[in-house]
Amino acid sequence: MAGKKRPLVVITRKLPDPVETRMRELFDARLNVEDRPMTQPELVAAIKEADVLVPTITDNIDAALIAQAGDNLKLIANFGNGVDKIDVEAAAKKGITVTNTPNVLTEDTADMTMALMLAVPRRLAEGANVLTSDKKWAGWSPTWMLGRRIWGKRLGIVGMGRIGTAVARRAKAFGLSIHYHNRHRVLPAVEDELEATYWESLDQMLARMDIISVNCPSTPATFHLLSARRLALMQPSAYIVNTARGDIIDEESLIKLIHDGKIAGAALDVYEHEPALNSKLLKLAAKGKVVLLPHMGSATLEGRIDMGEKVIINIRAFVDGHRPPDRVLPLRT
Ligand SMILES: O=CC(=O)O
């Protein structure tokens, strides 16, 4: 990029207006004016030409694509936290830095996790549906639409990172007791604040919880972390919430266990093959066993503008010859 004043920054998707305006002011920004994902040939053209590529979490930036990058591509500044669609290792081998947008979507995603945690036990979607569908509401009844109590229950968080901790803070305020499984134990001060119990064994935690919340990243090590065997350890009265990534759960097994009454229900924001949806999930939704959202965890206007600002900060730091604050290093596997 040396010698160039304004790097050519190719952005694969439409971003919120204030972000695009700022990008145009600062860079030679190539925006995607049509609000649709780039096709594969468009992505190839983009990676060949750009000094900086700004993909989103749905673009597949795999080794084959990275191999086609032009010599001037030195930075992939992801608009999003999860980098599971970027081959960070292949990028590093080609001398390309990768950055993401952590922190700014933590609280929004935790809010949505909390909403989903309530949704199935308290029958939110089913209840709302009574009023908006042509089903007749006969009025309040002592025995109708009874869900299950949330407060006083045990919440097991799989992945106590930034989002997991933000979920735990909210859940504690809702009267749940906090349990977690993580590769590493969190700081004692955080455990004390949350009165959290650490489970070294994920299996043992799964077997004892009322609600499980998945909050770890998707990596080769967490693929189907909640496998058929592990899901089968859960109690038949337990619920599972996933706002992380679909492939952390063996979705087909989860569907079967809910269908067979071996898990009470699930609230999902992410899917194993999204945007494709397993049609069996729709059948479970119709029975009130699952609540399904279309990957909206971080979808607030403020959050998306903050994410754009993070992308800009990373690009500017990099272009100015500094280490970008949100550099993602290849995984040590
Ligand atoms: O899912 C959203 C993200 O990873 O940013």
Side-chain angles (χ1 to χ4, degrees), residues 246-259:
D247 62 5
I248 300 165
I249 301 180
D250 176 346
E251 193 176 275
E252 198 62 51
S253 300
L254 175 68
I255 291 169
K256 185 164 177 356
L257 287 161
I258 296 174
H259 177 266

Side-chain angles (χ1 to χ4, degrees), residues 15 20 38 44 60 67 89 92 127 139 141 156 164 201 242 262 270 272 292 321:
L15 301 182
E20 293 199 334
M38 279 189 171
V44 171
N60 198 13
E89 192 114 76
S141 142
S201 159
N242 189 4
K262 302 211 166 109
V270 288
E272 203 167 340
L292 309 172

Side-chain angles (χ1 to χ4, degrees), residues 57 79-84 101 105 243-245 295 298 304 307:
I57 58 162
F79 182 87
N81 201 21
V83 290
D84 42 303
T101 59
L105 41 77
T243 51
R245 285 292 183 268
H295 203 148
S298 69
R304 293 287 158 86
M307 283 162 72

Side-chain angles (χ1 to χ4, degrees), residues 24-320:
R24 255 199 241 104
E25 281 165 14
L26 292 168
F27 314 123
D28 178 6
R30 175 116 14 111
L31 305 171
N32 184 347
V33 282
E34 292 170 60
D35 196 7
R36 60 162 178 83
M38 279 189 171
T39 61
Q40 193 61 18
E42 284 168 345
L43 260 184
V44 171
I47 206 161
K48 276 188 197 299
E49 216 183 335
D51 297 320
V52 177
L53 183 73
V54 179
T56 69
I57 58 162
T58 55
D59 296 307
N60 198 13
I61 315 293
D62 58 12
L65 186 81
I66 289 169
Q68 301 181 68
D71 289 342
N72 42 332
L73 184 82
K74 293 284 175 266
L75 175 66
I76 298 175
N78 192 40
F79 182 87
N81 201 21
V83 290
D84 42 303
K85 292 283 176 62
I86 302 178
D87 192 327
V88 181
E89 192 114 76
K93 281 197 187 124
K94 229 172 171 290
I96 301 168
T97 298
V98 176
T99 59
N100 67 343
T101 59
N103 300 318
V104 289
L105 41 77
T106 302
E107 304 298 329
D108 292 322
T109 309
D111 283 345
M112 193 59 111
T113 308
M114 213 51 228
L116 283 176
M117 208 180 288
L118 298 169
V120 182
R122 296 303 308 270
R123 307 180 70 173
L124 293 190
E126 279 182 275
N129 200 30
V130 170
L131 296 184
T132 50
S133 70
D134 49 14
K135 290 177 200 145
K136 262 249 161 282
W137 180 37
W140 189 89
S141 142
T143 55
W144 182 69
M145 268 291 163
L146 305 187
R148 299 308 302 267
R149 180 179 275 170
I150 286 289
W151 66 268
K153 299 282 166 69
R154 284 172 301 236
L155 170 66
I157 295 178
V158 180
M160 192 73 137
R162 282 182 288 256
I163 296 174
T165 306
V167 169
R169 289 204 172 102
R170 284 159 176 75
K172 184 168 183 260
F174 271 76
L176 289 135
S177 66
I178 308 302
H179 302 253
Y180 75 100
H181 169 81
N182 211 27
R183 274 175 313 167
H184 310 291
R185 230 174 139 148
V186 300
L187 295 175
V190 177
E191 263 186 22
D192 287 352
E193 176 209 331
L194 299 169
E195 294 172 63
T197 306
Y198 174 63
W199 294 77
E200 196 176 342
S201 159
L202 175 58
D203 289 11
Q204 284 178 19
M205 184 176 88
L206 288 171
R208 285 173 180 75
M209 295 300 118
D210 302 304
I211 303 172
I212 290 293
S213 176
V214 181
N215 296 109
C216 59
S218 162
T219 67
T222 62
F223 177 80
H224 283 192
L225 182 67
L226 297 182
S227 58
R229 180 191 68 76
R230 286 210 172 104
L231 289 168
L233 298 171
M234 287 174 63
Q235 302 182 33
S237 56
Y239 301 92
I240 189 160
V241 179
N242 189 4
T243 51
R245 285 292 183 268
D247 62 5
I248 300 165
I249 301 180
D250 176 346
E251 193 176 275
E252 198 62 51
S253 300
L254 175 68
I255 291 169
K256 185 164 177 356
L257 287 161
I258 296 174
H259 177 266
D260 296 348
K262 302 211 166 109
I263 293 179
L268 307 173
D269 186 42
V270 288
Y271 305 90
E272 203 167 340
H273 305 290
E274 68 180 69
L277 191 67
N278 188 320
S279 60
K280 291 179 211 148
L281 283 172
L282 295 177
K283 294 201 183 116
L284 292 177
K287 292 186 188 149
K289 298 277 182 205
V290 300
V291 164
L292 309 172
L293 287 184
H295 203 148
M296 290 163 56
S298 69
T300 66
L301 179 61
E302 296 91 333
R304 293 287 158 86
I305 291 174
D306 289 351
M307 283 162 72
E309 275 167 14
K310 276 232 143 198
V311 170
I312 290 169
I313 288 168
N314 280 307
I315 298 175
R316 292 186 80 183
F318 186 82
V319 169
D320 291 346

